[in-house]
Amino acid sequence: SPVAMYLAVAGVGSLVLADYDEVDLSNLQRQIIHTRDHIGCPKTESARDMLQQLNPDCDVQLIAAQMDDATLEETVKHCDLVIDCTDNFGSRFAINRASVRHKTPLVSGSAIRWEGQVSVFNDRLGAPCYHCLYGDSGELDSSCSANGILAPVAGIIGSLQATEAIKLITGAGETLSGKLLLVDALEMQLRTLTLKADPHCPVCGNHA
């Protein structure tokens, strides 16, 4: 929610929103793009309505169905940038594969409980991809519904993702490519880790 809103008001000309879910009351505390009036509506349509109020010149395209690999590949191929705001490893790995295959920069963000992390992948030759970071792990249910999340943490991570996206689009500053920014809101601490590419990664490695 905050990613789409900040990019729209920043002047991004076209956004593709992909979500097959409907707005639920439990979403409203962290998905601030939706309102009570849109409970029961497709999230993509609710989000589009809000974005058009913020910036009517932003072209908002919707994918309101669960994406298979073919649809994901076709969508990523035609985008300049991918921003992953999903809450499960299966989707993140699939998005990473498509981004690597089409050499589309990926801004990844996740948040759970009081913590979150942000990184940028695939925008530099020899840089690590998401799979380099996690390998084949990620079987644990790390979704917000299973573990909970403090609402402002989602806002912090979304704002950081939007910032990295704008930097990639404009070429300003240094991105988080090859780095992992860790946010601990409970202690209000930030840490940055350096990531290395896995030469044996099945997605981006030498033999991929």
Side-chain angles (χ1 to χ4, degrees):
S1 290
V3 173
M5 295 169 76
Y6 276 122
L7 292 184
V9 297
V12 172
S14 179
L15 294 172
V16 180
L17 308 181
D19 198 320
Y20 62 91
D21 202 2
E22 295 181 348
V23 180
D24 184 79
L25 179 63
S26 63
N27 302 144
L28 301 185
Q29 54 98 357
R30 69 187 185 280
Q31 297 178 20
I32 57 174
I33 203 167
H34 309 299
T35 66
R36 283 178 176 266
D37 293 339
H38 286 103
I39 291 177
C41 297
K43 286 184 177 179
T44 50
E45 295 181 13
S46 173
R48 178 194 58 199
D49 291 348
M50 175 65 78
L51 295 178
Q52 289 182 337
Q53 291 184 50
L54 294 172
N55 180 7
D57 294 324
C58 181
D59 175 37
V60 183
Q61 303 173 42
L62 308 181
I63 301 176
Q66 192 164 10
M67 301 175 75
D68 56 20
D69 287 339
T71 305
L72 180 60
E73 293 277 347
E74 187 66 19
T75 303
V76 169
K77 182 170 67 174
H78 294 290
C79 288
D80 300 304
L81 177 67
V82 176
I83 305 176
D84 180 5
C85 305
T86 58
D87 67 351
N88 64 88
F89 281 103
S91 296
R92 293 169 187 160
F93 285 142
I95 292 169
N96 177 67
R97 288 193 299 270
S99 297
V100 170
R101 188 169 291 114
H102 296 288
K103 297 181 173 60
T104 306
L106 168 65
V107 180
S108 174
S110 61
I112 193 167
R113 295 182 289 270
W114 292 81
E115 304 169 354
Q117 60 185 43
V118 180
S119 188
V120 172
F121 298 105
N122 312 329
D123 72 321
R124 293 181 182 175
L125 184 65
C129 76
Y130 186 84
H131 195 278
C132 293
L133 175 59
Y134 282 103
D136 293 316
S137 63
E139 295 301 320
L140 177 68
D141 187 353
S142 59
S143 65
C144 296
S145 58
N147 293 275
I149 181 174
L150 183 72
V153 173
I156 292 170
I157 299 302
S159 298
L160 291 171
Q161 284 182 274
T163 301
E164 290 299 297
I166 292 171
K167 287 159 61 178
L168 285 165
I169 293 169
T170 62
E174 281 291 320
T175 71
L176 285 170
S177 178
K179 302 173 185 176
L180 181 68
L181 178 65
L182 302 175
V183 179
D184 181 348
L186 191 59
E187 301 296 332
M188 201 48 72
Q189 293 182 348
L190 303 178
R191 286 194 301 149
T192 303
L193 306 180
T194 299
L195 307 177
K196 292 185 178 181
D198 178 4
H200 303 293
C201 175
V203 178
C204 73
N206 294 330
H207 69 283

